[in-house]
PDB file of all heavy atoms in Angstrom:
ATOM      1  N   SER Y 978      17.566   5.507 -15.725  1.00 49.00           N
ATOM      2  CA  SER Y 978      18.062   4.058 -15.495  1.00 49.00           C
ATOM      3  C   SER Y 978      17.936   3.658 -14.067  1.00 49.00           C
ATOM      4  O   SER Y 978      18.411   2.579 -13.764  1.00 49.00           O
ATOM      5  CB  SER Y 978      19.383   4.010 -16.129  1.00 49.00           C
ATOM      6  OG  SER Y 978      20.194   5.035 -15.419  1.00 49.00           O
ATOM      7  N   GLY Y 979      17.534   4.405 -13.133  1.00 54.00           N
ATOM      8  CA  GLY Y 979      17.428   3.956 -11.758  1.00 54.00           C
ATOM      9  C   GLY Y 979      18.669   4.222 -10.941  1.00 54.00           C
ATOM     10  O   GLY Y 979      19.566   4.864 -11.484  1.00 54.00           O
ATOM     11  N   ALA Y 980      18.598   3.728  -9.684  1.00 50.00           N
ATOM     12  CA  ALA Y 980      19.724   3.978  -8.779  1.00 50.00           C
ATOM     13  C   ALA Y 980      20.707   2.739  -8.843  1.00 50.00           C
ATOM     14  O   ALA Y 980      20.248   1.663  -9.219  1.00 50.00           O
ATOM     15  CB  ALA Y 980      19.233   4.128  -7.320  1.00 50.00           C
ATOM     16  N   PRO Y 981      22.005   2.902  -8.360  1.00 50.00           N
ATOM     17  CA  PRO Y 981      22.934   1.804  -8.391  1.00 50.00           C
ATOM     18  C   PRO Y 981      22.338   0.628  -7.486  1.00 50.00           C
ATOM     19  O   PRO Y 981      21.780   0.985  -6.472  1.00 50.00           O
ATOM     20  CB  PRO Y 981      24.163   2.379  -7.810  1.00 50.00           C
ATOM     21  CG  PRO Y 981      24.167   3.807  -8.140  1.00 50.00           C
ATOM     22  CD  PRO Y 981      22.488   4.134  -8.131  1.00 50.00           C
ATOM     23  N   PHE Y 982      22.554  -0.552  -7.913  1.00 45.00           N
ATOM     24  CA  PHE Y 982      22.043  -1.734  -7.259  1.00 45.00           C
ATOM     25  C   PHE Y 982      23.217  -2.755  -7.166  1.00 45.00           C
ATOM     26  O   PHE Y 982      23.650  -3.060  -8.338  1.00 45.00           O
ATOM     27  CB  PHE Y 982      20.765  -2.241  -7.881  1.00 45.00           C
ATOM     28  CG  PHE Y 982      20.255  -3.561  -7.276  1.00 45.00           C
ATOM     29  CD1 PHE Y 982      19.944  -3.650  -5.986  1.00 45.00           C
ATOM     30  CD2 PHE Y 982      20.289  -4.675  -8.085  1.00 45.00           C
ATOM     31  CE1 PHE Y 982      19.437  -4.765  -5.393  1.00 45.00           C
ATOM     32  CE2 PHE Y 982      19.827  -5.876  -7.518  1.00 45.00           C
ATOM     33  CZ  PHE Y 982      19.383  -5.945  -6.253  1.00 45.00           C
ATOM     34  N   PHE Y 983      23.594  -3.260  -6.063  1.00 49.00           N
ATOM     35  CA  PHE Y 983      24.630  -4.196  -5.902  1.00 49.00           C
ATOM     36  C   PHE Y 983      23.882  -5.544  -5.520  1.00 49.00           C
ATOM     37  O   PHE Y 983      23.334  -5.720  -4.481  1.00 49.00           O
ATOM     38  CB  PHE Y 983      25.593  -3.804  -4.847  1.00 49.00           C
ATOM     39  CG  PHE Y 983      26.395  -2.567  -5.180  1.00 49.00           C
ATOM     40  CD1 PHE Y 983      25.996  -1.406  -4.662  1.00 49.00           C
ATOM     41  CD2 PHE Y 983      27.387  -2.621  -6.118  1.00 49.00           C
ATOM     42  CE1 PHE Y 983      26.611  -0.210  -4.970  1.00 49.00           C
ATOM     43  CE2 PHE Y 983      28.021  -1.466  -6.398  1.00 49.00           C
ATOM     44  CZ  PHE Y 983      27.741  -0.294  -5.892  1.00 49.00           C
ATOM     45  N   ASP Y 984      23.956  -6.472  -6.499  1.00 50.00           N
ATOM     46  CA  ASP Y 984      23.225  -7.668  -6.335  1.00 50.00           C
ATOM     47  C   ASP Y 984      24.072  -8.785  -5.656  1.00 50.00           C
ATOM     48  O   ASP Y 984      24.174  -9.942  -6.052  1.00 50.00           O
ATOM     49  CB  ASP Y 984      22.739  -8.150  -7.798  1.00 50.00           C
ATOM     50  CG  ASP Y 984      21.764  -9.325  -7.655  1.00 50.00           C
ATOM     51  OD1 ASP Y 984      21.203  -9.573  -6.601  1.00 50.00           O
ATOM     52  OD2 ASP Y 984      21.564  -9.936  -8.715  1.00 50.00           O
ATOM     53  N   THR Y 985      24.614  -8.514  -4.456  1.00 50.00           N
ATOM     54  CA  THR Y 985      25.367  -9.417  -3.817  1.00 50.00           C
ATOM     55  C   THR Y 985      24.729  -9.816  -2.487  1.00 50.00           C
ATOM     56  O   THR Y 985      25.221 -10.589  -1.697  1.00 50.00           O
ATOM     57  CB  THR Y 985      26.812  -8.854  -3.523  1.00 50.00           C
ATOM     58  OG1 THR Y 985      26.526  -7.692  -2.722  1.00 50.00           O
ATOM     59  CG2 THR Y 985      27.505  -8.553  -4.737  1.00 50.00           C
ATOM     60  N   GLY Y 986      23.606  -9.159  -2.087  1.00 51.00           N
ATOM     61  CA  GLY Y 986      23.073  -9.311  -0.805  1.00 51.00           C
ATOM     62  C   GLY Y 986      23.779  -8.495   0.271  1.00 51.00           C
ATOM     63  O   GLY Y 986      25.028  -8.469   0.207  1.00 51.00           O
ATOM     64  N   ILE Y 987      23.120  -7.999   1.249  1.00 53.00           N
ATOM     65  CA  ILE Y 987      23.742  -7.306   2.301  1.00 53.00           C
ATOM     66  C   ILE Y 987      23.450  -8.096   3.537  1.00 53.00           C
ATOM     67  O   ILE Y 987      22.464  -8.519   4.016  1.00 53.00           O
ATOM     68  CB  ILE Y 987      22.976  -5.895   2.523  1.00 53.00           C
ATOM     69  CG1 ILE Y 987      23.030  -5.162   1.236  1.00 53.00           C
ATOM     70  CG2 ILE Y 987      23.638  -5.138   3.629  1.00 53.00           C
ATOM     71  CD1 ILE Y 987      24.006  -4.143   1.093  1.00 53.00           C
ATOM     72  N   SER Y 988      24.557  -8.517   4.157  1.00 57.00           N
ATOM     73  CA  SER Y 988      24.638  -9.390   5.447  1.00 57.00           C
ATOM     74  C   SER Y 988      24.012  -8.555   6.576  1.00 57.00           C
ATOM     75  O   SER Y 988      24.432  -7.558   6.851  1.00 57.00           O
ATOM     76  CB  SER Y 988      26.037  -9.802   5.675  1.00 57.00           C
ATOM     77  OG  SER Y 988      25.981 -10.629   6.899  1.00 57.00           O
ATOM     78  N   ALA Y 989      23.026  -9.342   7.212  1.00 64.00           N
ATOM     79  CA  ALA Y 989      22.541  -8.730   8.440  1.00 64.00           C
ATOM     80  C   ALA Y 989      23.121  -9.438   9.637  1.00 64.00           C
ATOM     81  O   ALA Y 989      22.795  -9.138  10.752  1.00 64.00           O
ATOM     82  CB  ALA Y 989      21.003  -8.947   8.470  1.00 64.00           C
ATOM     83  N   GLY Y 990      24.075 -10.330   9.426  1.00 62.00           N
ATOM     84  CA  GLY Y 990      24.782 -11.073  10.384  1.00 62.00           C
ATOM     85  C   GLY Y 990      26.284 -10.509  10.496  1.00 62.00           C
ATOM     86  O   GLY Y 990      26.478  -9.222  10.633  1.00 62.00           O
TER      87      GLY Y 990
END
Side-chain angles (χ1 to χ4, degrees):
S978 58
F982 173 63
F983 297 97
D984 193 16
T985 60
I987 305 261
S988 175

